[in-house]
Amino acid sequence: MTIQDTKLKQITNELEGRLASDNGVPKNIRKGATTAVELLLDDKKALDIRVSSAINILADLSNDPNIPMESWSAIMQILSDLEIMLKNLN
């Protein structure tokens, strides 16, 4: 398992644990987080495309006016991690 695989697994676990499976998070945020996890784990696409797609989804979610502050913070941290990962891929 490469460092990228390990980091990707950490990010998906964070998305699932803090957003996708938390019933205190609005449904549309949970669904978006689940979609981002599915994209990140889709081995049929190149890693840079998967990461970019997940960044786009999470950026859209971060602009939702109904998002709780702790969920927004989690999204921003995950976005930061994904952007670092994308930068290191190039």
Side-chain angles (χ1 to χ4, degrees), residues 20-38:
S21 63
D22 184 353
N23 289 332
V25 174
K27 186 176 181 180
N28 63 321
I29 306 295
R30 290 194 318 259
K31 181 166 177 20
T34 300
T35 302
V37 168
E38 290 169 357

Side-chain angles (χ1 to χ4, degrees), residues 11 15 19 28-29 31-37 39-40 50-67 71-83 86:
I11 291 169
L15 270 169
L19 298 169
N28 63 321
I29 306 295
K31 181 166 177 20
T34 300
T35 302
V37 168
L39 278 169
L40 288 169
R50 293 184 283 164
V51 172
S52 294
S53 298
I55 287 171
N56 288 334
I57 289 171
L58 294 174
D60 287 343
L61 292 178
S62 71
N63 292 321
D64 188 312
N66 296 320
I67 189 169
S71 298
W72 182 84
S73 296
I75 286 174
M76 296 313 284
Q77 180 60 51
I78 293 166
L79 274 171
S80 174
D81 292 343
L82 286 171
E83 288 172 356
L86 184 61

